[in-house]
Amino acid sequence: MKRALILSGGGARGAYHAGVLKYLEEINFKPDVVCGTSVGAITASALGCGMNAAGIIELWKSIEIQKVMKYSIWNDFLDLIFRRFSPLADTTPLKYLLYSQLDFRKLRKNPMEVIITAVNILTAELVFFGNKDIDIEHVMASSAIPLIFPWQYVDGKPHWDGGVMANVPILPAVERGAKEIVVVLLSPVGGVNMGLPRSRREGLERVFELSLIGSFQTIMANLQYQKKKKEKKRGFTRSLSLLSFSEPEKSDYKIRVIGPRTSLGFGSILNFSQVQADYLISRGYEDAKVQFGED
């Protein structure tokens, strides 16, 4: 049975992935396919480069804001004067950090398939990169949060964060025939009842959270629709031929979802700190333990 792990985007909330990975290692869940977007692309690539959960946890515990990005008020002033467009932060520190930690030669030799996503800004096309393609520029492109981080060039073309169009890239795993799929979300919306927003700020936060899981909800709705169509077709086939009905349905699969059970707060997206990393690693582990056991 082919297994897949789907790692969604969510900025600094990505430390949550590390806690989930720790639990999955303990229960010996070894994916054949790992799909990731944005910070999920970083984690997916780290796995493909041979890092285990302990290594990814240590990486997250070492990350601080200055190791991810640098901010210049002077650049903002020049942008205002000359009316030019530029991102809020420079992610060169993140590029150096990842390049020092990830050995992409191991990724190319790894039998586990790794797929990460990005968005071509010029064509509005969602693009996928695999083991043989992925290098530092592909990871940086997948994690280039629009407006905040600079777009990244891949093969001479500018790309933004894959989360803009597919923050939960489950479709590549389904297309590759994965039968057991574990999806790790970095937003609780959809998994818990969060009540109505009580202020404009909470309303904006809720809209942002919805954007993090929108692609997942859309794909799940489509998969449910396709499943119902096949069940109707299967029932019709059964009435015609018991032999046809006894054949296994190739599209049968099980999707497990692991995600925060309460809000992580809007500020957590760019809170690259050891304090938050420790908290999210612990939450990821505990949530995975509880939610995986419920399925």
Side-chain angles (χ1 to χ4, degrees):
M1 181 182 294
K2 183 176 286 189
R3 291 174 161 181
L5 177 64
I6 315 300
L7 301 168
S8 62
R13 294 180 183 180
Y16 187 91
H17 289 152
V20 174
L21 291 176
K22 179 182 177 182
Y23 177 76
L24 294 180
E25 274 192 11
E26 289 181 1
I27 63 171
N28 202 34
F29 179 90
K30 296 179 180 179
D32 304 288
V33 181
V34 181
C35 306
T37 289
S38 195
V39 72
I42 295 176
T43 306
S45 299
L47 287 171
C49 290
M51 272 194 181
N52 59 13
I56 295 173
I57 286 173
E58 286 306 309
L59 175 62
W60 270 104
K61 288 187 174 183
S62 71
I63 290 180
E64 297 176 350
I65 189 69
Q66 60 268 26
K67 292 183 178 180
V68 176
M69 58 185 177
K70 53 185 178 181
Y71 176 75
S72 173
I73 297 178
W74 174 246
N75 284 340
D76 286 346
F77 176 74
L78 292 177
D79 293 342
L80 181 63
I81 296 297
F82 295 105
R83 297 183 179 181
R84 66 185 187 185
F85 172 83
S86 68
L88 294 177
D90 177 9
T91 52
T92 300
L94 176 62
K95 184 176 182 178
Y96 287 144
L97 174 66
L98 294 179
Y99 204 71
S100 69
Q101 296 289 328
L102 305 182
D103 186 347
F104 293 98
R105 294 171 298 180
K106 293 182 179 179
L107 175 62
R108 294 182 184 92
K109 298 177 181 178
N110 198 330
M112 179 180 70
E113 190 171 6
V114 176
I115 303 155
I116 65 176
T117 67
V119 174
N120 184 317
I121 299 174
L122 302 180
T123 64
E125 177 187 8
L126 180 67
V127 293
F128 300 90
F129 305 111
N131 297 55
K132 294 181 179 180
D133 307 308
I134 298 172
D135 211 319
I136 187 65
E137 64 266 26
H138 301 85
V139 179
M140 293 298 295
S142 183
S143 54
I145 303 173
L147 304 183
I148 299 176
F149 294 167
W151 54 64
Q152 301 291 319
Y153 284 89
V154 176
D155 297 328
K157 301 173 183 177
H159 290 75
W160 257 338
D161 194 317
V164 173
M165 297 181 70
N167 197 52
V168 188
I170 190 174
L171 194 56
V174 174
E175 291 177 339
R176 283 159 177 77
K179 300 300 183 183
E180 185 176 359
I181 303 173
V182 174
V183 178
V184 185
L185 302 178
L186 297 180
S187 173
V189 178
V192 294
N193 188 338
M194 299 184 66
L196 293 173
R198 294 170 295 180
S199 65
R200 289 181 179 176
R201 175 183 171 82
E202 287 191 6
L204 289 173
E205 289 182 7
R206 187 68 55 83
V207 170
F208 176 78
E209 300 287 0
L210 288 169
S211 71
L212 291 183
I213 65 165
S215 62
F216 175 65
Q217 297 284 31
T218 300
I219 291 173
M220 288 299 294
N222 182 61
L223 291 176
Q224 290 294 331
Y225 173 73
Q226 295 297 330
K227 185 177 181 180
K228 288 180 180 179
K229 283 181 63 178
K230 289 177 180 179
E231 286 176 350
K232 289 181 179 179
K233 183 177 179 181
R234 189 191 306 181
F236 177 73
T237 305
R238 185 198 327 185
S239 65
L240 296 177
S241 171
L242 291 177
L243 178 62
S244 297
F245 181 72
S246 65
E247 294 177 355
E249 177 59 55
K250 293 182 179 180
S251 63
D252 286 345
Y253 44 78
K254 181 174 184 180
I255 299 176
R256 301 168 184 253
V257 179
I258 299 171
R261 290 173 285 173
T262 57
S263 176
L264 298 178
F266 191 67
S268 64
I269 296 295
L270 294 177
N271 182 12
F272 293 95
S273 67
Q274 185 175 341
V275 172
Q276 174 167 285
D278 286 338
Y279 170 68
L280 292 179
I281 291 166
S282 176
R283 282 201 59 173
Y285 178 84
E286 293 301 325
D287 287 344
K289 189 175 183 180
V290 171
Q291 294 170 13
F292 210 90
E294 290 175 348
D295 290 329

